[in-house]
Amino acid sequence: MSENKNVSQHADWSLRELDRRRFLQTLGGAGLGVAAGGLLAACGAGSGGSTAGIVHTTAGAGLAASTPKPGGRLRVANAGNGTSESFNPALVASPIDFLHANSVFDVMVRPAPNYGREPGLVMQWNPSKDATSYELKLRPGVTWHDGKPFGADDMIYTLRFIGQPKNLGNAAVANVRLDQLKKIDELTVKVPLKLPIADLAAYFLDLNASYVVQDGATDFTNPIGTGPYKLESFTPGQQAVLSANRDYWDSPRPYPDELEIISIDDSTARVNALLGGRIDICQGLTFADARANLDGGQYTVVVGAPGEAYTIYMRCDSGPFKDVRVREAMKLIVDRQQMIDDTLSGFGTVGNDIMGHGARYFDHGLPQHSQDIERAKSLLKSAGAADLKVTLNTAPVLPGFVESATVFAQQAAAAGVQVEVKQEQVSSYFNPAISFLKQTFAQDIWAAPSLNGYYSQALLTNSPINETHWHSASFDRLFYKAQGATNEQEAQELWSKLQRIQWKEGGNIAWCYYQSTDGVSSAVRGYGGPGTGWMYGNDDLRVWNWGLG
Amino acid sequence: MTAANETPRSARPAATGASAGGGPVAPSAVRPFLIRRTSQGLITLLAASVLVFLAVSVLPGSPAAAVLGRHAKPALLARIDHQLGYDRPVPERYLDWLSELAQGDLGQSSIGLAQGKQSAPVWPLVRPRLVNTAILAAITIALLIPLSLFLGVMAGVSAGRWRDQVISTTALIFTALPEFVVGSLVIVVFFVWLDLLPPVSLVEPGETPLAHPDILVLPVLTLLGVSVAATARLVRVGTIEVLRSAYVETARLAGISERRVLRRYVLRNALAPSVQIFAISIQYLFGGVIVTEAVFGYPGLGSELVSAVSSHDNTVVLAIAVILAAIYISINVIADLLVILLVPKLRTQG
C-alpha cells in the first residue's frame, strides 16, 4: 500500500517536471537564455506571445522545488502590515495576510503549476445546461480544526460571507443568488445564478473570494479553518506561530511540524535574516538582491512566473484620451523592455495592454505592441494632439511605480508629448474618497487570475473599479455573452474579441507582466518550481507544499 | 534629529563660573523648581498632543479606507468613518481622546475597529514594544554615559595632542554617519566578515530580548556609534573650557597635583554641562532608535510607529507619539533637576 503511494507520488513529481520543461519551451528560447546568463534573455519585443526576460531560477531551483522531509519548523518572512495584520479572510489585502490566510484556511480552487487549477475544498463545479445554476460537490473527509466535519452548511455560509459589502472579495458573488443557495446533501450545494456563467470557478480564483470559513464564523481572533496549519499564537506586526494540522485532508502535507510567519518590514533586514539563518524563506526580495544572487549566490532566488500586470491607465470618457487615436499613440510611445530593465531590473515580460496573463482564455496571439514613435506622432497629429501635455499621477505603491512613470515621461518626450509626473501619497492614491477613480492618467497593478474577475470589476459600465472609465454597452453585452458561452471554442472566440478591443482601443498601457522574486535557504523544499501566476505579490503562496529537506 | 548637533550651545551656560564646591542640597529649595518644571513639562506635553492630533487628522485617507482599500464604496467608507467618529469635528474628537488619556486610557486601535473588532485596546499592542525599546535604550544609555565621559575628558585633557586627534577625528566621522550606515557597517564587520553576531534582532512575541543578549549587541553598537561620538565631542569642549578657567589655573598655581585638579575641579564642573548634553543625546537616541529598529527588524516602539503611520492606525500613532513626547519631556525635567543639584548657584537664579 505504502509502496503504491510512493510510486504515485513519484509519478506526480515527474509530471510536474515535465510540465515545467514544457512551460519553459512554450516561452521560447528565452528559457535557454536564462540558463546561460539570466538577464541577457531580453530578446526585445518580438512578434506574438510573450518574451521572457527571466524565467524561473537556475541553480538550486530543482532542489527547492523537490518534496520536503517531514518535521521541523519552517520560518517565512515578508513585509509586515503592523496592527492591520489579521487572519480574517474577508480583509486579507497584504502579502503577509495572504500567508496567514493560506496557512489556516483552504481555498475553493487551488492554483496549480503553469497557471493551472486543482480542486481545493470544491471538487466539482457542475453547471446546469444553460449555466445559470451550479451544483458544487464538496470534498469529503475534511474536518475543521475544532473537529467538526466540513460540509454544505459551511459552504453556503462562506458564499454569503464573501458577499458582505465589507468583504474584499464580494464582487465574485455579485451574480450569485445568495438568498436561494440550497443544501442538497451534506456535500452538495446548489448555487443559482442571476445570469449564465460558464466558468464559475474562475471567479473564486480571486484569493479574497476563495477562503472557506466555518458556518457562523464572525470573529477571526482565534481562526478555525480546515487548512494545513492551526494558529497557535499571533502578534500582529511581529509574528504568527502555527502548528501542523495532522488531520489534513491533503496528507502527508503539511510537511513541517511548525510554521512561523514573521513580519520584517525592511527589505534589507529581511535578507539579512535569511543570510543569518534566522528565516528559511524571504518573500519579496528586492530586485537588486534578486539580480545579484540570481546565478547562485548565498541563497536560491526563486523567480515567479509572469503574472500581475503593471499598467499606466488612461481615462477613456473625457480629457485628452477620449480620442482612441491618442490612446493608441500612447501605447506606441513606450519602450516596454527598456522600462522593465530600467525599473524592475528585468523581472518581468513585456506586456501587451491586456490583463490576465496566463489566465484561461488569455489571448497570447495578439500582435505585440512595441515602440513606434513615427506612427505615434502621426496618430497624435491626426487627432489634433501633436503637442499633447498631460499629468501622470504616480505614488510609491510598489517598486518600479514612480520610476516607470519617470521613464515613460522621458520616452514620451521623443514623440513630442510632454508628461508631467506628479507624485502622490500612497494613502490617497487608492482612496476612492480622494484620488482613486478620479484620475485621468495614472498607474496600477492588476492580479487577474481570471478574465471574468478582471473584466467584471474593471471594464463594465457598472464595474466598481473602472479606472479607465471604459463605458460601452456593446462591450458589456459581448462580455456577458463570453461569460455565458458553454462551448469552449465559442468562449475562446468571444474572449479573444473582447481582448482585441481592449488591446486596440482600451485605456491600459499594460507594459509588463511582472515576476515576483523570493529568496530561500538551501534547506527549503517544495517552494517555487513551475509558477502559478497566482500573484498577490508572490507567485508561490501554496503554503501547504512548503517544507524543509 | 539634528538636535544633537545644534543644541549644545544652549546647554552650556549652566557650567561656566560654577564653583567647585557645592554641599548637600536642601530639598525645600528644589521643590518649587520641580513643581514649576513639571507643570511646564505638562503644558509642553499638552501642546505636543494638540500638534500630533492635528497632524494625524490632516493625513489624507482614513483607517476605513486603509482597511477596505480601493474596493470600498464611498457609502461604506462613510458608515465606518461614522462608527469610528471620524465625521465629527477635530476639536471634539481631540477633547474626547484627551479625557480618555487623562484617565490613563490610550483608546482603541482605529484599524482594529475599522476591521470590525468589538474591542482592540491600544495599550496591549504598544506595551511590549515599549518594553523592548526601553531595554535597548537603557543598555545604550548605561554604556553611553561612561564611554563618552571617558573619551571626552581624555580628549579634552590632551587637547591638540595625538590622543585628542585620534578621538576627535574618529568621533567626527561617526557623527557624520546616519544610523542606517553605521548599522550596515557593523553588520558587515560582525556578521559578514567575522560571523560572530546575528544580523537581525528578531524577538519572539512574549519573550524578552534579554533572553538572547547576542541580538542586542549590534543595535546597541549602532546607537553607540552615532551617539557616543557626538556626545564625547561635546564633553571634550566642556572639559577644555573648564581647563582654561581661572580657578583651575589658580589650583594649579597653588601647587595642587594635576590628578587632584582633574578630579576635584575639572571633572565635577565638566559634569554639569554634560548632564544637559546627555539629556540631549538620550532624547536623540529615541529618534535614532526608530531607524535602528528598522535596520535590525527589532520589534520596538519605533517600528510600530512607522507601520502604524503607513497603515493609518491613528490611535496607535497618537499613543506612541504621546509616549515619546512624555519621555522627551521627562528627560528634560530630570536633567534640569540634576544640574540644579550639581550646581547650587543656579537654584537661586530665576
Side-chain angles (χ1 to χ4, degrees):
Chain A
M1 193 65 204
S2 67
E3 258 183 34
N4 262 344
K5 208 168 180 182
N6 278 340
V7 169
S8 77
Q9 255 177 32
H10 182 74
D12 180 36
W13 165 238
S14 6
L15 192 67
R16 286 182 192 193
E17 267 296 83
L18 193 71
D19 281 352
R20 174 175 154 75
R21 234 171 278 138
R22 198 181 61 200
F23 176 71
L24 290 173
Q25 280 161 6
T26 46
L27 286 169
L32 298 170
V34 167
L39 292 151
L40 297 171
C43 318
S47 60
S50 51
T51 319
I54 298 163
V55 195
H56 309 294
T57 42
T58 49
L63 203 56
S66 62
T67 309
K69 287 200 182 96
R73 182 177 199 158
L74 182 70
R75 302 152 305 168
V76 51
N78 205 332
N81 200 19
T83 49
S84 305
E85 288 179 15
S86 146
F87 274 85
N88 184 345
L91 297 171
V92 165
S94 57
I96 196 110
D97 277 351
F98 285 122
L99 284 178
H100 290 148
N102 275 20
S103 48
V104 166
F105 296 97
D106 270 311
V107 288
M108 296 180 210
V109 198
R110 276 183 173 183
N114 307 323
Y115 308 99
R117 296 180 200 172
E118 285 169 1
L121 288 194
V122 180
M123 298 292 285
Q124 292 170 26
W125 306 71
N126 298 327
S128 63
K129 213 170 170 191
D130 59 354
T132 55
S133 164
Y134 271 76
E135 262 190 23
L136 270 47
K137 290 280 181 201
L138 307 182
R139 185 177 286 280
V142 177
T143 50
W144 294 96
H145 294 164
D146 62 2
K148 289 184 191 159
F150 158 74
D153 292 325
D154 301 309
M155 195 62 209
I156 290 175
Y157 180 80
T158 296
L159 290 171
R160 291 183 180 145
F161 174 78
I162 294 169
Q164 291 167 4
K166 262 174 95 165
N167 193 309
L168 298 179
N170 66 66
V173 292
N175 296 316
V176 174
R177 295 192 189 278
L178 292 172
D179 50 337
Q180 291 169 29
L181 297 171
K182 207 171 139 198
K183 174 179 174 179
I184 307 281
D185 60 44
E186 282 307 325
L187 293 174
T188 313
V189 174
K190 187 170 177 179
V191 181
L193 305 176
K194 295 172 186 166
L195 43 89
I197 300 175
D199 182 11
L200 184 63
Y203 272 109
F204 297 93
L205 284 168
D206 173 1
L207 261 184
N208 284 117
S210 198
Y211 299 111
V212 180
V213 299
Q214 196 174 30
D215 187 13
T218 50
D219 182 7
F220 296 93
T221 321
N222 299 301
I224 301 292
T226 57
Y229 291 94
K230 302 177 185 184
L231 181 62
E232 297 293 334
S233 70
F234 178 40
T235 307
Q238 202 170 338
Q239 189 190 46
V241 178
L242 303 102
S243 63
N245 172 13
R246 285 296 163 226
D247 298 319
Y248 196 44
W249 56 268
D250 195 7
S251 175
R253 298 181 179 83
Y255 302 99
D257 294 325
E258 282 181 299
L259 175 70
E260 220 178 286
I261 301 171
I262 306 169
S263 310
I264 309 177
D265 295 355
D266 187 80
S267 55
T268 311
R270 210 154 59 237
V271 172
N272 282 337
L274 180 66
L275 292 172
R278 185 62 186 76
I279 57 169
D280 307 299
I281 300 172
C282 168
Q283 292 201 315
L285 216 52
T286 62
F287 296 133
D289 280 326
R291 193 174 179 156
N293 290 279
L294 197 60
D295 296 320
Q298 294 149 300
Y299 45 83
T300 304
V301 178
V302 176
V303 181
E308 262 164 307
Y310 272 70
T311 177
I312 296 174
Y313 64 84
M314 304 171 276
R315 182 171 185 150
C316 302
D317 67 342
S318 64
F321 304 119
K322 199 175 174 192
D323 191 318
V324 65
R325 286 170 296 188
V326 180
R327 298 204 290 274
E328 197 185 340
M330 298 307 268
K331 290 174 188 171
L332 298 175
I333 272 174
V334 51
D335 180 343
R336 292 147 203 259
Q337 191 60 52
Q338 190 203 346
M339 212 129 117
I340 293 168
D341 291 344
D342 288 359
T343 67
L344 304 175
S345 297
F347 289 100
T349 64
V350 287
N352 201 19
D353 304 331
I354 48 173
M355 306 295 177
H357 181 268
R360 180 179 288 182
Y361 303 126
F362 180 85
D363 195 341
H364 289 276
L366 285 167
Q368 175 65 49
H369 274 153
S370 52
Q371 193 178 44
D372 187 344
I373 296 291
E374 285 318 306
R375 182 157 159 70
K377 271 184 172 170
S378 83
L379 278 165
L380 287 170
K381 202 175 165 197
S382 66
D387 52 353
L388 183 63
K389 273 187 205 168
V390 278
T391 303
L392 175 56
N393 294 75
T394 185
V397 177
L398 283 170
F401 256 54
V402 177
E403 297 85 342
S404 57
T406 313
V407 171
F408 181 83
Q410 288 162 3
Q411 294 179 349
V417 177
Q418 267 190 54
V419 177
E420 190 205 335
V421 176
K422 190 180 158 208
Q423 189 169 333
E424 288 185 39
Q425 288 211 17
V426 177
S427 51
S428 51
Y429 197 66
F430 283 135
N431 186 337
I434 303 171
S435 292
F436 193 59
L437 298 181
K438 293 172 186 166
Q439 290 154 330
T440 300
F441 198 31
Q443 286 170 295
D444 204 349
I445 180 160
W446 274 94
S450 79
L451 297 188
N452 303 41
Y454 171 72
Y455 280 72
S456 64
Q457 279 194 66
L459 293 175
L460 303 185
T461 310
N462 61 358
S463 288
I465 317 178
N466 194 338
E467 300 163 324
T468 58
H469 296 261
W470 175 265
H471 307 298
S472 157
S474 61
F475 189 85
D476 290 1
R477 280 196 297 277
L478 192 56
F479 166 79
Y480 289 116
K481 216 172 147 190
Q483 174 167 264
T486 48
N487 177 302
E488 184 72 15
Q489 199 191 336
E490 188 197 354
Q492 181 64 64
E493 277 167 18
L494 290 165
W495 281 113
S496 291
K497 240 183 207 175
L498 283 163
Q499 292 173 87
R500 181 170 277 278
I501 294 172
Q502 278 303 310
W503 172 80
K504 196 165 165 42
E505 300 168 27
N508 278 302
I509 309 167
W511 52 274
C512 169
Y513 305 124
Y514 143 87
Q515 294 174 282
S516 63
T517 47
D518 304 330
V520 300
S521 79
S522 56
V524 172
R525 302 285 183 275
Y527 194 89
T532 60
W534 193 49
M535 284 284 218
Y536 308 95
N538 286 85
D539 188 30
D540 193 352
L541 285 169
R542 292 167 293 166
V543 179
W544 53 88
N545 276 338
W546 304 346
L548 300 163
Chain B
M1 302 218 176
T2 52
N5 303 330
E6 291 164 5
T7 17
R9 279 175 211 97
S10 63
R12 207 173 303 138
T16 37
S19 80
V25 177
S28 59
V30 177
R31 193 174 299 142
F33 170 82
L34 193 62
I35 291 169
R36 196 174 66 236
R37 280 303 277 117
T38 310
S39 46
Q40 278 170 358
L42 282 176
I43 293 167
T44 317
L45 188 59
L46 199 67
S49 75
V50 173
L51 282 179
V52 175
F53 200 93
L54 276 177
V56 170
S57 313
V58 298
L59 274 181
S62 70
V67 169
L68 296 174
R70 55 183 150 162
H71 298 257
K73 297 199 172 67
L76 182 64
L77 284 179
R79 205 175 77 211
I80 294 175
D81 280 347
H82 177 73
Q83 280 167 4
L84 293 178
Y86 274 84
D87 51 351
R88 292 185 302 145
V90 174
E92 199 182 311
R93 275 161 48 201
Y94 174 72
L95 288 178
D96 273 5
W97 173 76
L98 194 66
S99 72
E100 274 180 19
L101 186 67
Q103 296 162 38
D105 183 1
L106 286 171
Q108 303 275 320
S109 153
S110 339
I111 286 292
L113 295 182
Q115 285 178 339
K117 287 189 191 136
Q118 293 301 319
S119 135
V122 167
W123 179 237
L125 296 174
V126 170
R127 193 189 53 86
R129 301 297 192 114
L130 178 61
V131 171
N132 288 351
T133 296
I135 289 171
L136 186 57
I139 296 174
T140 310
I141 292 165
L143 294 169
L144 164 75
I145 293 175
L147 259 178
S148 45
L149 262 184
F150 176 74
L151 291 173
V153 170
M154 192 155 79
V157 167
S158 45
R161 274 171 284 163
W162 68 267
R163 213 188 300 178
D164 173 40
Q165 301 285 2
V166 172
I167 294 172
S168 298
T169 314
T170 318
L172 188 64
I173 293 168
F174 273 98
T175 312
L177 295 177
E179 289 85 356
F180 62 89
V181 174
V182 178
S184 308
L185 273 179
V186 298
I187 289 173
V188 167
V189 173
F190 291 97
F191 169 68
V192 180
W193 291 349
L194 302 174
D195 200 11
L196 278 176
L197 293 160
V200 279
S201 309
L202 302 176
V203 180
E204 306 250 333
E207 208 175 46
T208 162
L210 294 170
H212 306 280
D214 57 330
I215 63 166
L216 287 165
V217 178
L218 293 188
V220 166
L221 269 184
T222 305
L223 286 169
L224 284 177
V226 285
S227 57
V228 166
T231 318
R233 282 175 59 81
L234 297 174
V235 172
R236 171 186 174 271
V237 173
T239 310
I240 291 172
E241 234 162 73
V242 176
L243 278 171
R244 283 187 191 143
S245 68
Y247 57 82
V248 168
E249 201 164 329
T250 311
R252 277 182 178 150
L253 289 174
I256 298 172
S257 73
E258 186 63 18
R259 181 183 294 238
R260 193 173 148 84
V261 168
L262 277 184
R263 214 175 44 224
R264 262 198 72 89
Y265 295 78
V266 179
L267 260 184
R268 173 118 196 197
N269 279 295
L271 209 58
S274 301
V275 168
Q276 292 287 8
I277 292 167
F278 288 131
I280 292 153
S281 295
I282 291 165
Q283 287 169 339
Y284 170 73
L285 213 59
F286 276 90
V289 159
I290 294 180
V291 180
T292 309
E293 284 177 358
V295 170
F296 292 95
Y298 185 79
L301 216 49
S303 45
E304 180 94 331
L305 178 62
V306 172
S307 63
V309 169
S310 64
S311 70
H312 253 285
D313 203 336
N314 294 354
T315 37
V316 171
V317 174
L318 286 172
I320 296 176
V322 165
I323 290 172
L324 288 178
I327 292 172
Y328 249 75
I329 291 163
S330 341
I331 291 170
N332 254 340
V333 174
I334 293 167
D336 286 355
L337 190 69
L338 278 177
V339 172
I340 293 282
L341 292 172
L342 281 168
V343 188
K345 189 179 162 190
L346 290 177
R347 288 200 290 275
T348 51
Q349 293 174 348

